[in-house]
Amino acid sequence: MSATIERYNHRTVEPKWQAHWTEHKSFEAKEEPGRPKYYVLEMFPYPSGRIHMGHVRNYTMGDVIARFRRAAGYNVLHPMGWDAFGMPAENAAIERGVHPKSWTYENIAAMRKQLKSMGLSLDWSREFATCDPEYYRHEQAMFIDFMEKGLVERKSSKVNWDPVDHTVLANEQVIDGRGWRSGALVEQRELSQWFLKITNYSQDLLQSLDRLDKWPEKVRLMQRNWIGRSEGLLLRWVLEGAPAGHTELEIYTTRPDTLFGASFMAIAADHPLAKAASADNPELAAFCESCRRMGTSVAAIETAEKMGFNTGLFATHPLDPDWKVPVYVANFILMDYGTGAIFGCPAHDQRDLDFARKYGLPVTPVVRPVDAVAAAQSEKDIAAGTAYDGDGVMVNSRFLDGMSPEAAFAGVADKLEKVLLAGRPVAARKVNFRLRDWGVSRQRYWGCPIPVIHCESCGIVPVPKKDLPVRLPEDVSFDKPGNPLAHHPTWKHVNCPSCGGRATRETDTFDTFIDSSWYYARFCSPHADVPVDPAAAKYWMGVDQYIGGIEHAILHLLYSRFYSRAMQATGHLHMDEPFTSLFTQGMVVHETFKSASGEWVFPTDAAKSENGWVHATTGEALTTGGIEKMSKSKKNVVDPDTIIESYGADTARWFMLSDTPPERDIEWTDAGAAGAWKFTQRLWRMVNETAVLGEKGSHDASGLPLRQTAHRTIAAVTDDLMNLRFNRAIARLYELANAVGTILQKDSRSAGENAALREAVESLVLLFAPMMPHLAEECWRVLGHGVAVVDTAWPKADPALTALNEVTVAIQVNGKRRDEIKVPKGATREVLEPMVMALESVSRALDGKPVSKFIVVPDRIVNIVCAN
RNA sequence: GCGGGCGUGGCGGAAUGGUAGACGCAACGGACUUAAAAUCCGUUGGAGGAAACUCCGUGUGGGUUCGAGUCCCACCGCCCGUACCA
């Protein structure tokens, strides 16, 4: 064995090839009409200052796809940028006195360097940050176009106010009643806000999910639920003894079929009728106030009892003038869904049943299961406090009796649509969505300024496009809480573009989700002086493979889908669905350690002793705290820089792809990383040992087995990479490496074996190149190639070599495996039967019993069935 | 509550309804070495057996099928998402 092979040194090799790729502009993409394109995009990072292992995993996957597609002949676009606006920059300014701009751009520089050390095949010539005026200028221009198109609305509304971050949050940013970033309890405030009319597209956004067949079903379902379509009926009830101006009460229901099961009305505490009725009823007013105070936290909702207050008012049943139903204010009715009022049908709605039982209201079942046993059961359940919400047949419902609930729905709707009340139909079919318009105003400095001017005489005036961008002023102070733009002495004072009079700028900035809602389109033409160059977008869009975390399943992905529609409506883009195929990768997790006093301990400080884990320096006993997502607070982070320095980028990349399927959480372990590193060294040795054997000779029969393995590996890895099954592709590569190693170990080899070896090793290098690009380049050079791997085509499997001419067929007797035989591929039953019946193992298993069936699955299995 | 996913060796995980455990890690045995590291070779689901071989085995219980980790039903457990949405 050649003992003179030097160890593979990633510290010199990796920077060398990175420089080569940069120098040769290997990854700069240009439109080439007629040539198939492939757009790979990973969700761009927030420039927090350092990349973490999650980034390493995300960008490695994207890079493998990009390099693989590139080798396979596609014109690949693989860009990178920075989601650079947002609160951490401002927090840094407040806490440490650094300017958000310098903080951000310094972080970008640091992270760019880190990403480059990973050897990603990115087109850096297209890089931008969303805080570049050259980027947000187009965002502002498009907003003005959206305004003209009626996609923007300014309205005073109750907003979620984050008292820690001093900003408004979108509903989507409120999690369990707390700010998604600060974790502070959210308050309700009344403010004038800018909204994007995403609800104009509710139906389209819902329906088009059906077209996104390359998205995970889970994400589509989450979006479906978020949009929350329901079909129901708006229904007006005449009120009796109501305060002035409240002659009727409009409710929304999805179950008009259960109208004859009505036993009470319930309205939200914020409903105008509740307010009016409270005026001369202090007790009611107090109850409404307590409902408002109850809050929206999950804990509050889960523990809250159904509570109500009888207003003393009555509503008249729309189908029976003599039927009067009491009106309650109830704590479980939300003002911002439907009309903030319902009719309660306790037998078929659990909340209504809880409420009715508490306040002694009637419970009349009106839907009965068709099956008699089920019907009896449902009656018992209802009496015991469990509502029945299944299908069945209508009862106790006059003209609806005997119908299905579906028919009854239509029966009630058809009838009441024709009944007039105060000159209007008393009922109207109505589709309701849970989706709200998107509030985009933020009272922050480090965001894209909203390009409008408030003029006392002209009102809202958009900034003329020639005056864009509206730049953020740089001389701001963060001494006072609230928005530095509002505090700035001069910035907001301008002349009205319309009348020339004194006016003020809007000081709110955009929600940063806007920045990330169109960046994918900007990458097509990052230097164009329009938001998106139509020809470039036409060529590159949509994104063929988008990769990111599941945490963006709703917000970012839904906003982006809306944005592309809005851009289409304003002529900026030619298509509506930006992401053709979506992949959501799992997290990187790591074991956690805790000291006896409950403090988190860095894994690097934990050592294994006979008595379990101890602190490496103090010797204190440690407990393992479970395998969790890497986070600074739990100290279970591994720094990518450290890993790349000690093992190299290729090893880190390889580990990230090995063993665990990409959609699952991967556990970072030192042993696993070390294993990956050993494999890089092994490949390096094999390549060197093969290289000295010289150029490829001619093939003969002795090399056939290895050639077959190599070509089958090419076919399998190609298929696996096409389908993002990285862990399987890697297993195949280990198999090929093992096969190569076996031949290399032999004391003597035939010329044919040497030729096969050369071919197998070259294939191996090209196949692992997307995962370990630096090692592949270096190996390729050692093998004597003058052209770099990035400029070499993906290997092709020879069908003659992947085809099997002999197959192993398993022999079963009564479904139990008893033997296996090697037979020519395609062996028929006529050939197989005598062979199989002659087997000693078969006659032993049959034990003289007659064969009743002889099943042949060609090239797979033979199953002999006999009486037992 | 509702919705979705998952449950396979010591571990990560393979397996178009067709030989369960590919591949890797760990462990054990061996070669090389003064020794160790590195490397290479071998063994490794459980039980029984000297061996041939036999039996058991994919959370539990049923079912469909010649054949089930895979499909169907019920249950148990874990994970994720989500909610007074009328």
Side-chain angles (χ1 to χ4, degrees):
Chain A
M1 249 350 72
S2 164
T4 57
I5 294 168
E6 273 182 54
R7 282 207 145 188
Y8 174 72
N9 185 354
H10 64 265
R11 288 192 182 88
T12 54
V13 173
E14 291 186 349
K16 181 179 86 181
W17 286 105
Q18 285 160 18
H20 174 99
W21 298 325
T22 305
E23 209 176 293
H24 292 79
K25 302 188 191 308
S26 299
F27 308 119
E28 289 189 13
K30 292 192 176 51
E31 290 99 80
E32 291 180 44
R35 187 171 159 216
K37 63 92 187 183
Y38 200 89
Y39 185 178
V40 191
L41 185 65
E42 300 98 64
M43 291 179 185
F44 67 163
Y46 177 79
S48 58
R50 304 199 56 77
I51 63 167
H52 52 67
M53 280 300 181
H55 292 128
V56 173
R57 192 177 194 201
N58 189 194
Y59 300 135
T60 297
M61 288 179 192
D63 198 48
V64 170
I65 296 164
R67 285 176 180 271
F68 164 64
R69 292 283 174 175
R70 196 168 177 282
Y74 289 90
N75 190 17
V76 170
L77 175 60
H78 187 209
M80 180 56 70
W82 309 94
D83 189 13
F85 273 135
M87 287 187 307
E90 243 172 295
N91 292 341
I94 294 162
E95 288 158 20
R96 276 170 284 155
V98 280
H99 195 281
K101 182 177 166 183
S102 51
W103 183 84
T104 301
Y105 282 101
E106 279 162 28
N107 285 348
I108 287 173
M111 290 175 75
R112 183 192 300 118
K113 190 168 169 245
Q114 287 186 296
L115 290 183
K116 287 192 170 175
S117 76
M118 283 181 64
L120 303 171
S121 64
L122 292 165
D123 180 353
W124 286 103
S125 75
R126 290 174 188 254
E127 176 191 1
F128 60 77
T130 56
C131 62
D132 297 341
E134 262 310 295
Y135 181 78
Y136 68 67
R137 158 191 162 203
H138 299 294
E139 196 166 294
Q140 292 171 338
M142 284 198 292
F143 182 76
I144 291 164
D145 292 340
F146 290 1
M147 285 176 89
E148 281 168 11
K149 205 73 187 174
L151 292 169
V152 176
E153 194 176 20
R154 184 171 171 81
K155 55 187 176 189
S156 172
S157 77
K158 242 190 196 176
V159 295
N160 303 303
W161 178 259
D162 187 318
V164 169
D165 284 336
H166 294 283
T167 192
V168 169
L169 300 174
N171 284 333
E172 293 87 332
Q173 291 166 337
V174 179
I175 295 154
D176 296 350
R178 292 173 181 273
W180 73 298
R181 201 189 282 270
S182 72
L185 275 176
V186 167
E187 297 167 6
Q188 302 295 306
R189 285 200 186 177
E190 197 81 27
L191 277 181
S192 264
Q193 299 285 305
W194 291 100
F195 284 84
L196 286 177
K197 301 213 62 165
I198 189 171
T199 57
N200 283 12
Y201 295 92
S202 296
Q203 183 62 30
D204 182 16
L205 287 167
L206 180 71
Q207 220 157 30
S208 299
L209 287 171
D210 296 339
R211 282 192 277 139
L212 298 175
D213 56 342
K214 289 176 184 167
W215 279 39
E217 186 51 44
K218 181 189 170 86
V219 173
R220 293 198 283 169
L221 192 73
M222 283 166 76
Q223 294 213 351
R224 239 172 242 135
N225 292 338
W226 190 262
I227 295 166
R229 184 182 200 270
S230 59
E231 285 179 25
L233 203 64
L234 283 172
L235 185 54
R236 289 145 64 220
W237 298 52
V238 175
L239 287 173
E240 230 172 63
H246 292 275
T247 53
E248 54 183 60
L249 175 62
E250 188 171 45
I251 59 104
Y252 179 70
T253 180
T254 56
R255 293 298 301 273
D257 49 309
T258 64
L259 200 50
F260 289 106
S263 87
F264 64 92
M265 313 298 287
I267 61 175
D270 286 328
H271 195 281
L273 176 60
K275 285 179 183 164
S278 296
D280 54 359
N281 188 340
E283 275 182 81
L284 178 57
F287 176 79
C288 291
E289 192 46 42
S290 78
C291 289
R292 280 181 213 115
R293 269 203 317 271
M294 194 181 65
T296 52
S297 78
V298 164
I301 287 165
E302 268 179 3
T303 52
E305 226 181 309
K306 304 281 171 284
M307 301 237 283
F309 193 97
N310 193 338
T311 60
L313 305 175
F314 285 91
T316 305
H317 197 284
L319 291 165
D320 183 347
D322 298 325
W323 187 347
K324 309 293 179 190
V325 182
V327 179
Y328 283 74
V329 173
N331 64 349
F332 63 95
I333 305 300
L334 305 175
M335 191 55 222
D336 58 1
Y337 187 80
T339 62
I342 62 148
F343 84 83
C345 175
H348 307 293
D349 182 284
Q350 191 58 48
R351 286 160 315 170
D352 294 352
L353 184 55
D354 293 347
F355 190 83
R357 284 163 69 89
K358 176 156 179 168
Y359 293 101
L361 295 160
V363 178
T364 311
V366 290
V367 180
R368 185 158 64 200
V370 178
D371 174 70
V373 177
Q377 185 61 44
S378 90
E379 216 161 286
K380 261 190 243 164
D381 287 346
I382 292 168
T386 304
Y388 175 73
D389 61 3
D391 206 353
V393 59
M394 303 308 300
V395 292
N396 302 324
S397 294
R398 309 189 192 179
F399 73 99
L400 303 173
D401 283 352
M403 291 183 189
S404 67
E406 200 187 345
F409 183 121
V412 168
D414 290 347
K415 186 167 187 135
L416 290 176
E417 273 171 345
K418 288 181 203 115
V419 176
L420 296 184
L421 174 63
R424 288 195 294 133
V426 71
R429 282 182 163 90
K430 162 93 174 159
V431 171
N432 230 330
F433 293 94
R434 204 185 87 101
L435 186 66
R436 304 280 90 136
D437 277 330
W438 177 13
V440 296
S441 297
R442 296 292 180 273
Q443 292 66 46
R444 306 296 300 191
Y445 165 71
W446 194 237
C448 171
I450 299 177
V452 295
I453 288 164
H454 300 271
C455 171
E456 272 178 38
S457 32
C458 308
I460 302 278
V461 184
V463 173
K465 285 193 179 171
K466 65 173 173 54
D467 295 341
L468 296 180
V470 176
R471 281 174 189 270
L472 282 173
E474 296 194 16
D475 52 336
V476 283
S477 102
F478 294 89
D479 303 342
K480 287 184 263 182
N483 185 353
L485 289 179
H487 303 147
H488 193 281
T490 56
W491 183 77
K492 69 179 172 187
H493 301 294
V494 288
N495 292 326
C496 171
S498 171
C499 70
R502 287 170 55 121
T504 53
R505 282 193 192 286
E506 173 65 65
T507 58
D508 286 355
T509 52
F510 282 137
D511 178 3
T512 58
F513 273 111
I514 290 191
D515 310 335
S516 55
S517 291
W518 71 284
Y519 78 111
Y520 49 85
R522 181 69 183 166
F523 274 137
C524 298
S525 52
H527 311 297
D529 60 5
V530 290
V532 181
D533 174 68
K538 201 125 204 158
Y539 181 72
W540 292 115
M541 287 296 288
V543 176
D544 295 283
Q545 186 63 64
Y546 196 38
I547 311 172
I550 186 77
E551 68 272 18
H552 292 112
I554 297 171
L555 308 186
H556 164 59
L557 291 169
L558 190 60
Y559 291 152
S560 293
R561 296 182 60 223
F562 158 69
Y563 231 82
S564 53
R565 283 166 170 75
M567 286 170 75
Q568 190 180 34
T570 48
H572 290 291
L573 198 61
H574 63 284
M575 43 120 64
D576 58 355
E577 287 294 347
F579 311 124
T580 310
S581 182
L582 173 71
F583 187 82
T584 53
Q585 101 269 10
M587 298 183 298
V588 181
V589 297
H590 195 284
E591 183 144 50
T592 56
F593 295 94
K594 255 184 179 175
S595 69
S597 54
E599 286 182 2
W600 298 103
V601 174
F602 286 107
T604 43
D605 289 336
K608 214 168 197 168
S609 77
E610 309 99 70
N611 310 321
W613 291 94
V614 295
H615 197 284
T617 46
T618 67
E620 186 192 355
L622 300 177
T623 52
T624 53
I627 296 161
E628 299 192 53
K629 179 178 182 175
M630 284 191 179
S631 75
K632 279 178 193 150
S633 61
K634 287 177 182 157
K635 294 193 175 175
N636 62 338
V637 287
V638 174
D639 179 27
D641 269 357
T642 312
I643 299 300
I644 290 172
E645 166 60 21
S646 48
Y647 290 118
D650 285 339
T651 295
R653 293 166 60 116
W654 186 258
F655 177 85
M656 279 302 180
L657 300 164
S658 305
D659 299 341
T660 304
E663 68 279 8
R664 277 193 225 175
D665 290 353
I666 189 169
E667 188 194 351
W668 180 270
T669 61
D670 290 340
W677 184 79
K678 280 200 297 194
F679 187 62
T680 62
Q681 296 293 342
R682 190 171 155 223
L683 289 171
W684 176 245
R685 278 194 305 276
M686 291 195 316
V687 166
N688 278 278
E689 286 168 21
T690 305
V692 297
L693 300 176
E695 291 297 305
K696 198 185 290 184
S698 55
H699 292 300
D700 63 27
S702 65
L704 190 62
L706 181 58
R707 298 197 70 206
Q708 286 176 326
T709 304
H711 282 264
R712 281 168 201 154
T713 304
I714 292 170
V717 169
T718 304
D719 187 55
D720 285 336
L721 291 186
M722 207 92 87
N723 294 294
L724 278 49
R725 292 188 293 240
F726 308 115
N727 57 317
R728 279 199 356 180
I730 282 182
R732 300 286 90 87
L733 291 173
Y734 273 110
E735 282 175 338
L736 179 55
N738 290 342
V740 166
T742 302
I743 303 295
L744 265 177
Q745 288 299 314
K746 290 175 71 171
D747 294 331
S748 66
R749 282 179 302 270
S750 68
E753 279 177 322
N754 277 342
L757 208 45
R758 178 89 194 179
E759 182 189 49
V761 166
E762 294 205 338
S763 302
L764 182 60
V765 169
L766 294 176
L767 291 177
F768 76 66
M771 290 88 140
M772 299 197 285
H774 313 87
L775 178 65
E777 293 288 7
E778 193 67 6
C779 288
W780 202 238
R781 192 191 56 78
V782 165
L783 287 166
H785 293 279
V787 177
V789 171
V790 285
D791 300 314
T792 302
W794 192 247
K796 279 202 167 55
D798 180 348
L801 292 166
T802 55
L804 298 161
N805 31 36
E806 195 181 51
V807 291
T808 306
V809 171
I811 312 300
Q812 295 182 337
V813 177
N814 281 347
K816 277 196 172 153
R817 183 186 167 278
R818 294 295 171 186
D819 211 337
E820 62 181 39
I821 53 171
K822 286 198 170 168
V823 296
K825 186 174 158 60
T828 61
R829 180 200 172 100
E830 287 65 37
V831 176
L832 286 165
E833 189 160 354
M835 287 172 75
V836 169
M837 295 313 290
L839 290 169
E840 193 260 326
S841 53
V842 169
S843 44
R844 181 154 20 104
L846 283 174
D847 196 22
K849 283 171 283 201
V851 172
S852 57
K853 260 187 189 175
F854 192 89
I855 293 152
V856 176
V857 182
D859 299 335
R860 280 280 187 181
I861 206 160
V862 169
N863 191 13
I864 305 161
V865 186
C866 71
N868 238 336

